Amino acid sequence: MYVILEGVISFFLIAGGAFIFIGSLGMTHLRDFYMRLHGPTKATTMGIGCILVASMLYFGIVDNYPVIQELLITLFLFITAPVSAHLLAKTGLHQQLKRVDKTQGQPAELRDEEVGKKPVPHHSDAGHD
């Protein structure tokens, strides 16, 4: 029984370390502020979440009672990380930080062949043929 639980805990620790490492690489290798914002907000948040889940499992088994502190930390982290990322992105837009030209292309959703040539009818145009 404990061998399986140790394997699950080890999996979460390794997965958490991998997520944190990938997030750190993203911070160093991505080209502009907006791209770099993804590293700490997505990958690192998942990494810390995995490590906290491993901690909850380990100390829940060792101490034989549910661990509430790690659960609260995980909940707080998953609530605050997107909010702080949104505020950082809005600040970058407000300060008009430079972007890499590669990120300013036309997304597929906005191309003419995807949107169509006809304008979207507006409710104020109804009955004015």
Side-chain angles (χ1 to χ4, degrees):
M1 174 82 173
Y2 286 113
V3 174
I4 295 172
L5 290 173
E6 287 176 356
V8 170
I9 291 169
S10 299
F11 170 77
F12 278 113
L13 288 173
I14 291 170
F19 276 120
I20 291 172
F21 180 69
I22 291 168
S24 301
L25 281 178
M27 286 277 298
T28 59
H29 291 343
L30 294 174
R31 296 181 185 159
D32 65 359
F33 172 77
Y34 303 102
M35 289 182 186
R36 284 188 201 118
L37 195 57
H38 291 286
T41 57
K42 295 190 180 357
T44 308
T45 303
M46 284 298 297
I48 296 295
C50 286
I51 290 173
L52 286 169
V53 167
S55 175
M56 284 188 285
L57 288 172
Y58 177 76
F59 288 109
I61 292 168
V62 169
D63 296 337
N64 290 326
Y65 65 88
V67 181
I68 303 299
Q69 292 171 341
E70 282 91 349
L71 184 64
L72 292 174
I73 292 170
T74 306
L75 180 67
F76 182 72
L77 178 72
F78 284 134
I79 290 172
T80 58
V83 173
S84 63
H86 178 73
L87 290 174
L88 284 169
K90 293 286 277 187
T91 302
L93 288 172
H94 181 70
Q95 292 183 351
Q96 298 176 350
L97 295 178
K98 292 183 180 180
R99 290 176 244 159
V100 176
D101 291 335
K102 184 177 179 182
T103 62
Q104 293 181 2
Q106 283 282 345
E109 294 85 12
L110 298 178
R111 293 186 188 142
D112 287 337
E113 62 268 11
E114 297 292 327
V115 176
K117 305 265 185 210
K118 293 183 181 179
V120 177
H122 194 264
H123 66 84
S124 63
D125 295 336
H128 297 292
D129 289 336

